[in-house]
Amino acid sequence: MKPLIELPFLSHGHATLKDVEESVRFYRDFFGLDVVKTSPRTLVARLGSNTAIVGVTLGEKGLAKADRPWLENSHFGFDFETADDVKEARELSLEHRENFNIQNVGELVEDEEGFSFMLFDQDGNYWQMLENQAGGYSRYFKKDCDTLHALASFSDSEGDNRASVLKPHLMSHMTCEVIDMDKSQAFYEEMFGLECVRLDPKRMLGRLNSVAIIDFIETDTEIRDHKMHNHIGFDVAGPEIVDTAREIIIDNQERFDFEVIHKTSGSHGSYGFTFSDLDNNAWQIEDYPRGGYYWMFEQGGDLENKFQPNVSGVDDWHELIDPETYEYIGEANS
Ligand SMILES: [Fe+2]
C-alpha cells in the first residue's frame, strides 16, 4: 500500500541543550559522535548512519520552562556489541561523570535483549547505552531496506580512531511514546509509510530506509506537554512537496486526530512545518537534500554560516544539489 505521504528517509530526532560548546564536547569527547556545529545555537551529530541528532539550545530558562517529565521516553540509544562493553561503559561513565556534568548514571539492567543503562545528561536528556548486535535492530525486519542515503559516506573499512571515553558503534534508535499502539501504527503506516514490526502489544519498531529506527512504546504518561522540542523529522525534495504534504496532513486531521498543524516556516535553515499528532508527538517535514543532514558532515568541520555549506561563493545548500534527484553533489554543481 502506498503511504499518503512519500517520505524518503528517517532524517533526525532532537535533543535540547543549555550550551552548544559544552554539548559538542560531551557528544564528541564522551560519546564519540561525529559532531558539526551548525550555528552558534545548534549542532548536528551522528553515529554509524546519517539519521542525525539535532541539538538546539533552549538555554537554562527555556529548559526549566519546558518541563518534560516524559523525556526519558524520548531517549536515543547507542549500541555496544557485548555485555562486557556495556558494563565497561558504565564504569567509565561513573569515572568521567563529573568532568562531563552527567547528572546520573543509571543502574545496569538486564532483559531479554541484554544489558543496558541510562545516562541523564547536563541538559536533562536521556541516553541509553545498550548491548545490541552489529546492525542494530535491522534483524527484526523481514527484508533489507534501501540504506543508500542512510549509509552514504560510511564504509566498513574505516578504523576506529576515536579518542572518546565511550565508543559505542551505532546510534540504533530513538524512542517515542504513544497512547494506543494500534491507532498509532495505523497512522505511521498509512501516513508516513514506516515499516513497522510489533515486538509485543505495547512495543513496536519503525523504520524508514534507515539503520536507526524509532522504538515506539505504549505508556500511560499523564503529561505530554512540550513535545515540539523533541520532534522527529523527515525530508522531502522541495518546498512544493512540503506544501503538498501539509495539505495531506490537513485533509487527514480529523481521521487521525491530529492536535495542531503549524504553518510552514524556516526552522534550522530549511522550509518546513511541524504538527502534533494523536499522542501529542511532534513531527517535522522539511525541504532537505536526500540523506537529510548528511551533507553537513561533508563540509569539513563546523559550518561557517548558519546552516549553509562551507563552499565559497555558495550562500545556500540548494546550489549544491542536483535539482532533479535532490542528491547532494557538493562543489561539482557550483
Ligand atoms: Fe527538526
Side-chain angles (χ1 to χ4, degrees), residues 116-189:
S116 66
F117 67 95
M118 197 70 88
L119 280 173
F120 181 48
D121 78 8
Q122 58 198 338
D123 301 315
N125 299 303
Y126 290 84
W127 307 88
Q128 186 189 32
M129 305 298 118
L130 69 148
E131 181 183 349
N132 206 351
Q133 294 170 21
Y137 288 96
S138 305
R139 67 182 182 282
Y140 289 97
F141 294 83
K142 277 200 199 88
K143 286 181 289 186
D144 286 340
C145 67
D146 179 0
T147 53
L148 182 73
H149 296 102
L151 294 175
S153 83
F154 288 92
S155 74
D156 288 339
S157 58
E158 279 168 52
D160 193 344
N161 302 322
R162 291 178 293 175
S164 52
V165 177
L166 305 191
K167 292 180 177 60
H169 62 87
L170 177 70
M171 194 269 273
S172 64
H173 69 276
M174 50 183 99
T175 306
C176 181
E177 59 171 5
V178 304
I179 297 164
D180 178 324
M181 195 63 83
D182 292 332
K183 275 192 191 170
S184 299
Q185 180 172 0
F187 155 52
Y188 300 138
E189 288 179 336

Side-chain angles (χ1 to χ4, degrees), residues 12-14 54 231-233 267-268 274 284 286 293:
H12 68 277
H14 277 253
V54 175
H231 66 253
I232 294 174
S267 81
H268 47 83
T274 49
Q284 175 187 41
E286 60 182 350
Y293 290 73

Side-chain angles (χ1 to χ4, degrees), residues 4 25 33 55 87 110 138 197 212 233 246 251 266 327 329 333:
L4 290 164
R25 191 174 80 87
L33 310 183
K87 290 175 192 168
E110 190 187 10
S138 305
V197 174
R246 190 166 173 276
D251 290 345
E327 296 282 347
I329 52 172
N333 201 36

Side-chain angles (χ1 to χ4, degrees), residues 280-329:
N280 270 35
N281 289 321
W283 304 91
Q284 175 187 41
I285 296 178
E286 60 182 350
D287 169 27
Y288 236 41
R290 288 280 174 262
Y293 290 73
Y294 148 70
W295 70 269
M296 287 186 169
F297 296 96
E298 298 288 294
Q299 303 305 309
D302 294 339
L303 303 188
E304 287 149 27
N305 300 307
K306 279 186 189 177
F307 315 117
Q308 298 299 349
N310 293 343
V311 176
S312 63
V314 173
D315 296 326
D316 189 295
W317 58 263
H318 288 89
E319 296 168 52
L320 299 178
I321 58 162
D322 181 326
E324 294 295 314
T325 61
Y326 238 63
E327 296 282 347
Y328 173 74
I329 52 172

Side-chain angles (χ1 to χ4, degrees), residues 63-79:
L63 286 180
K65 222 169 84 184
D67 182 30
R68 289 165 291 170
W70 46 267
L71 207 47
E72 187 165 0
N73 297 330
S74 181
H75 64 256
F76 291 92
F78 298 151
D79 291 6

